[in-house]
Amino acid sequence: MSTKKTMTADLLFWFQFILGIVFGASQFVRMLSSTQGVSTSMFLFAEIVVIANLYLAVRAHKAQPSRVTLQIIAIMALGVVIYSLLIGLVLIKEKNVWDRYDNITAVLVLIGISATLMVARKKNLTATDPIVKGWLILWTRTPANILMACKILIVGGAGVSGVMVVIFHILTVSRILQIWFSIKEAGWDRNRKGMALNEIGNETSWILVTIAWLTV
């Protein structure tokens, strides 16, 4: 990798890492005083996605070690720590840890994943196919965000940090831009289509969370 590309990768890594810490810290501090509007299932399914990505990053690093793969591992590990802490705080503070919104989220996620796998099987595709993975991640993230938006509208969002809401957008949009630049450089392929699919779905559903948070 050239010096310029290394510097760009390092800057992007520190940008995402520092924002990740601020994201987690701001939400953790807010939840110390209130958990109103917080979605346990959103944190849980987000952590599942991060753990899956961490596993893939570790495998990629073992196959071909590099500075970039180490940075990806560090980002994903940070995500696991953040969501674990937030889930742990919910378990400590909330009497009703898993509510009806979480039940609906879980059902929608199950339906979406099942439907995706059924369609993939009919097309002779496996779960490792990039497009199929994109849909699986989409179904794991999006319903949780949408139901969190509904919960905020109905019960309030005092437990949701505005800093977290904004940084979620920044981090997601930064990943979408990375994918876009990659597409401009190398063109569309199934990997890039799969990544674009789940990240655009993630951002779109988080816009609903933002609207709900601004409304209440």
Side-chain angles (χ1 to χ4, degrees):
M1 184 182 293
S2 66
T3 303
K4 185 178 179 180
K5 287 186 177 181
T6 300
M7 288 180 62
T8 301
D10 287 349
L11 285 172
L12 183 60
F13 164 71
W14 285 112
F15 172 77
Q16 293 178 331
F17 194 84
I18 292 169
L19 279 186
I21 292 173
V22 177
F23 169 95
S26 65
Q27 183 57 30
F28 190 88
V29 170
R30 176 59 63 88
M31 285 168 56
L32 290 174
S33 57
S34 174
T35 56
Q36 185 187 66
V38 168
S39 170
T40 306
S41 56
M42 180 275 203
F43 292 151
L44 177 62
F45 287 119
E47 181 165 36
I48 289 172
V49 171
V50 174
I51 289 172
N53 287 334
L54 176 60
Y55 170 74
L56 293 173
V58 170
R59 288 191 61 184
H61 184 71
K62 286 182 177 179
Q64 190 172 348
S66 72
R67 185 188 188 90
V68 173
T69 53
L70 275 176
Q71 291 173 344
I72 294 172
I73 289 171
I75 292 290
M76 295 305 163
L78 175 65
V80 173
V81 171
I82 288 171
Y83 284 118
S84 295
L85 289 173
L86 295 178
I87 292 171
L89 189 56
V90 171
L91 293 174
I92 293 170
K93 289 185 64 67
E94 274 290 312
K95 292 181 180 179
N96 186 21
V97 175
W98 193 268
D99 58 25
R100 59 177 177 171
Y101 303 99
D102 298 309
N103 285 332
I104 296 170
T105 298
V107 169
L108 290 176
V109 170
L110 182 61
I111 291 173
I113 289 176
S114 299
T116 298
L117 293 175
M118 286 176 63
V119 172
R121 186 175 180 181
K122 287 184 179 180
K123 294 186 176 182
N124 294 318
L125 299 173
T126 66
T128 58
D129 178 82
I131 301 295
V132 176
K133 282 195 294 185
W135 277 105
L136 291 174
I137 295 173
L138 179 72
W139 277 109
T140 304
R141 284 175 162 176
T142 305
N145 291 347
I146 293 173
L147 265 295
M148 182 175 174
C150 293
K151 183 174 183 178
I152 291 172
L153 284 173
I154 294 170
V155 308
V160 180
S161 165
V163 175
M164 183 196 76
V165 172
V166 172
I167 290 179
F168 194 104
H169 282 297
I170 294 173
L171 291 173
T172 307
V173 170
S174 71
R175 291 193 297 269
I176 291 173
L177 287 174
Q178 282 179 287
I179 296 167
W180 172 247
F181 292 141
S182 175
I183 290 168
K184 287 185 69 176
E185 182 180 49
W188 285 98
D189 60 20
R190 293 186 72 80
N191 286 295
R192 290 171 178 80
K193 286 180 181 179
M195 289 189 293
L197 172 69
N198 79 72
E199 290 295 357
I200 291 172
N202 192 33
E203 173 61 18
T204 303
S205 60
W206 195 254
I207 289 173
L208 298 178
V209 174
T210 306
I211 293 171
W213 184 80
L214 290 171
T215 301
V216 297

